[in-house]
Amino acid sequence: MREYARLYIDGAWQVPSGQGMAEVIDPATEQAIGRVPLGAESDVERAVMAARRAFDGWSRTPSSVRAGYITALAAQLKSRAAEMASVITDELGMPVQWCQAVQVEGPIAGLEQYAELAGLMDEVREVGNSLVYREAVGVCAFINPWNYPLHQMIGKLAPALAAGCTVVVKPSQETPLHAFLLAEMIEAIGLPAGVFNLVSGPGAKVGEALARHPQVDMVSFTGSTGAGVRVAQAAAPTVKRVCLELGGKSPLLITADADLHAAVRHGVQDVMINSGQTCTALTRMLLPASRYAEALEIAEAETRALVMGDPRDPASFLGPMCSAGQRRTVLDYIRLGQEEGARLLCGGDTPAGFERGFYVAPTLFADVDNRMRIAQEEIFGPVLCLIPYADEAQALALANDSPFGLSSAVWAGSREHGLALARQIRAGQCFINGGGFNYQAPFGGYKQSGNGREWGEEGLAEFVEVKAVQC
């Protein structure tokens, strides 16, 4: 049991003004594994003003010194990587093998990248009679998700620190423990007081207070599209910068000349990692009608072969859903898919032997029409829609027939063929023939998947104001 009774504000662990504690539930056992404080608006006020007081000094700190703190935090995370992975497995239910590789090693790489990019803040561009400077945007509020909690926090925190911003972080109520562990690491490296502040609590209270606070210059939110809209509305009266990383319903377009076995296996595994609780998951598999029956056999065999079990067991490919509420949502969508006329190939329920824990069996739907709700709405569970197409023109139309545009993928017979199709898909990312995630490249979406970018130089730019001085 990890219990935190205080919030991290202004460089110290402070007694919260808010009343009560929130329990953190292990989704594999349904037992309480931790408690964190429920912060109040007065705690937000203290944290924001601490960040405001710290801003001038931190933003004027030499970039090499800021880079040193980022490097020190990466070293802290490396030294406690196993502990951090274990905490995230406990609170999220993601199997430990994935937590280590994705939830911890990825953020370490992100921190190290921004230690190198901090020096970009010193560059001055000369344009005619103007000097163009980069300056930190100011006090930033981060509202973080539960599905990739540390990953998304570092995607915001690392470039903010590199740019010279100060921050207030609100973790998700479902998975807050990692944020308190990170705060311990930040305290250990001696980051100046007020540069990093942590306030836990419900989004409707703490998150909204951060988004509307007049002393917050920028808010970065990761979560559902509906919640992102509310964040943007709360931020609008103060005209602060808003960066939104929202939902997705991403297509995997498999061409007729592709290695079908490799493509389908990749697509199934992509969706089922983290039990489908991934905003970029390739949840719509677009298949040539001429090879559709063969693809269904491969997909079903691969899905049935995946091991679901205790997330602490390295043999488990899938663990439980993050919460009882998320399990209900996913099961409701599965029932809806059957009512809409999609054909259930496998899964669709809580499997035998998993009476305790928030488990949903990996699920495949065949004969899906792209107009069905299960093909248009983000389910956020281990559910894959298999959709046939007649030709590549129709495949591209189906790929783009979505309110979302976060990610996408193409599996084709050649890199050139894949690139030609990728350029026609309206999404912020496209992975060709299983290409891997790249922390040096920008990440973000089109349409209702959000605005702004994370990672790479573009991620740094989100935290930068540009000033032109004429002389």
Side-chain angles (χ1 to χ4, degrees), residues 13-357:
W13 293 98
Q14 299 193 20
V15 176
S17 301
Q19 299 297 311
M21 302 282 284
E23 283 194 334
V24 182
I25 303 299
D26 180 341
T29 66
E30 303 185 37
Q31 300 299 308
I33 55 168
R35 301 176 78 219
V36 300
L38 290 171
E41 289 192 32
S42 54
D43 296 311
V44 170
E45 180 68 21
R46 284 192 293 153
V48 170
M49 297 315 296
R52 175 56 63 196
R53 290 191 297 271
F55 174 70
D56 284 347
W58 179 248
S59 62
R60 293 170 185 163
T61 298
S63 64
S64 59
V65 176
R66 295 199 303 270
Y69 281 111
I70 297 171
T71 299
L73 183 56
Q76 275 282 318
L77 193 51
K78 284 181 181 177
S79 70
R80 303 180 72 176
E83 181 184 6
M84 180 63 83
S86 177
V87 165
I88 297 175
T89 290
D90 289 347
E91 63 183 354
L92 172 61
M94 188 181 200
V96 67
Q97 58 167 316
W98 299 118
C99 273
Q100 185 72 37
V102 178
Q103 303 275 13
V104 180
E105 292 176 10
I108 290 170
L111 284 164
E112 292 174 340
Q113 174 192 188
Y114 283 108
E116 296 178 6
L117 292 177
L120 291 178
M121 297 299 295
D122 301 329
E123 294 182 359
V124 180
R125 186 161 53 96
E126 197 165 346
V127 183
N129 69 315
S130 299
L131 298 175
V132 181
Y133 296 88
R134 293 183 176 99
E135 296 183 354
V137 74
V139 174
C140 301
F142 299 154
I143 304 172
N144 290 291
W146 49 261
N147 62 326
Y148 287 84
L150 180 68
H151 189 278
Q152 291 307 108
M153 185 189 296
I154 296 300
K156 306 174 194 304
L157 178 63
L161 295 179
C165 297
T166 56
V167 309
V168 181
V169 169
K170 190 205 89 66
S172 167
Q173 277 195 274
E174 281 80 11
T175 57
L177 297 177
H178 74 283
F180 285 82
L181 180 56
L182 184 71
E184 292 177 1
M185 298 180 195
I186 286 172
E187 183 180 36
I189 67 172
L191 193 69
V195 173
F196 174 93
N197 304 274
L198 172 64
V199 180
S200 54
K205 181 180 290 184
V206 174
E208 185 171 331
L210 284 169
R212 69 169 184 260
H213 199 291
Q215 290 295 323
V216 169
D217 300 295
M218 187 260 204
V219 58
S220 180
F221 169 85
T222 300
S224 71
T225 297
V229 169
R230 293 192 292 274
V231 167
Q233 289 171 335
T238 50
V239 200
K240 56 174 56 72
R241 185 177 298 181
V242 177
C243 181
L244 301 173
E245 198 273 278
L246 307 177
K249 195 70 182 179
S250 302
L252 166 56
L253 195 170
I254 300 176
T255 65
D257 64 347
D259 180 338
L260 189 65
H261 195 270
V264 172
R265 289 188 70 242
H266 173 84
V268 168
Q269 291 182 13
D270 175 271
V271 171
M272 303 308 171
I273 288 174
N274 205 21
S275 297
Q277 301 168 126
T278 304
C279 55
T280 57
L282 303 171
T283 50
R284 293 184 298 141
M285 186 181 291
L286 310 180
L287 294 155
S290 61
R291 308 189 70 183
Y292 190 67
E294 181 185 359
L296 295 187
E297 290 182 3
I298 297 169
E300 184 173 357
E302 179 65 20
T303 301
R304 292 186 183 279
L306 296 177
V307 176
M308 185 168 68
D310 184 344
R312 296 165 190 83
D313 183 349
S316 297
F317 191 96
L318 300 91
M321 310 304 300
C322 179
S323 66
Q326 190 59 28
R327 178 177 61 179
R328 285 193 299 271
T329 296
V330 173
L331 292 175
D332 285 346
Y333 267 111
I334 291 171
R335 284 191 289 271
L336 174 63
Q338 293 172 289
E339 292 168 3
E340 289 183 306
R343 177 161 56 99
L344 187 67
L345 284 183
C346 61
D349 54 13
T350 298
F354 291 91
E355 288 73 22
R356 181 176 295 278

